[in-house]
Amino acid sequence: MIDLIFLSGSSQIGSVHRRLAKAAAALTNRKFENQAYATLTDLSDLDLPNFSEHDVATNETPIDAITLCNRLSQADGMFMSSDEYTGAYSAVLKNTIRWLSARTAESETPFRGMPIALCGASSRGAGSLRGQPALAQFLGELGAHVIPQYLELGTSASLFNDQGGLHQRFEKQLVEGCLLKLVEAGKARRPQRMLALQ
């Protein structure tokens, strides 16, 4: 069983991307129940002040940054559901990633070698199409292997059923588009990660 983290790039209560990350985690546990175990991490549960180089230099790293960094070191892959803000990704996500990356040397960020399925959906305009390339490049610079996925939808409400899960056609898109690739990449990475921990 591989260990996968599901994270939303939004801290807004009820946002499409928080609901998407939750639904995708449940879908993974159902479709890949004998291969992968998915857990949800919510940015709104983390106490991370604005990133400061001074705080890092004086070892004043927030406990939540240390805890999340340790959690990433135990994971074989990540699913990240990202908002789009005027052509970029959310400030809260960037702040979180900066804290995580500051915890380690540049050549050994917690994202190095990490398969990340980067997914976005929106009911407005181009949705996350403009924000995802910027985030993919940022994660790539940190050493991550990014698997992109875009969900085509008319309105955000059409993504979910009454129980909060994804409608079948979006489940199919996710499984075929990025979840299967994430599981396979996580399987390939696990032996290397376990060897590094020895």
Side-chain angles (χ1 to χ4, degrees):
M1 294 280 284
I2 60 169
D3 182 1
L4 301 176
I5 298 175
F6 282 65
L7 176 73
S8 166
S10 173
S11 61
Q12 297 180 9
I13 302 298
S15 77
V16 170
H17 289 85
R18 289 181 70 183
R19 295 168 67 193
L20 177 56
K22 182 178 180 179
L27 175 63
T28 300
N29 285 331
R30 189 173 80 249
K31 291 287 187 179
F32 303 97
E33 59 180 346
N34 297 320
Q35 304 176 59
Y37 179 70
T39 57
L40 190 67
T41 297
D42 195 330
L43 291 183
S44 65
D45 293 334
L46 304 178
D47 184 12
L48 297 177
N50 288 334
F51 178 81
S52 166
E53 294 284 0
H54 172 75
D55 290 340
V56 174
T58 56
N59 292 319
E60 297 180 12
T61 305
I63 187 65
D64 281 351
I66 297 172
T67 300
L68 185 55
C69 191
N70 291 338
R71 174 69 186 92
L72 260 67
S73 71
Q74 300 168 1
D76 300 299
M78 173 184 285
F79 177 97
M80 187 180 292
S81 176
S82 173
D83 282 350
E84 187 269 324
Y85 294 87
T86 60
Y89 43 92
S90 70
V92 67
L93 179 58
K94 181 177 181 179
N95 189 60
T96 300
I97 293 173
R98 290 190 71 187
W99 274 117
L100 293 173
S101 300
R103 288 285 304 157
T104 54
E106 183 176 347
S107 61
E108 294 298 333
T109 75
F111 299 98
R112 184 157 301 280
M114 173 82 74
I116 299 180
L118 182 58
C119 186
S122 176
S123 61
R124 297 174 300 176
S128 63
L129 294 180
R130 295 177 300 173
Q132 276 206 23
L135 181 54
Q137 181 179 355
F138 184 29
L139 293 170
E141 291 291 333
L142 297 174
H145 168 58
V146 179
I147 305 165
Q149 168 80 68
Y150 306 104
L151 295 183
E152 302 289 343
L153 60 152
T155 65
S156 59
S158 69
L159 188 60
F160 306 100
N161 58 34
D162 293 339
Q163 290 74 45
L166 293 162
H167 284 300
Q168 187 173 1
R169 73 184 182 96
F170 295 118
E171 286 190 349
K172 186 173 185 292
Q173 283 185 40
L174 273 185
V175 170
E176 294 180 354
C178 69
L179 289 181
L180 178 58
K181 294 175 185 176
L182 178 61
V183 169
E184 294 301 322
K187 288 179 183 178
R189 181 174 187 252
R190 186 172 181 83
Q192 302 170 8
R193 187 179 67 79
M194 298 306 293
L195 184 62
L197 293 175
Q198 294 179 1

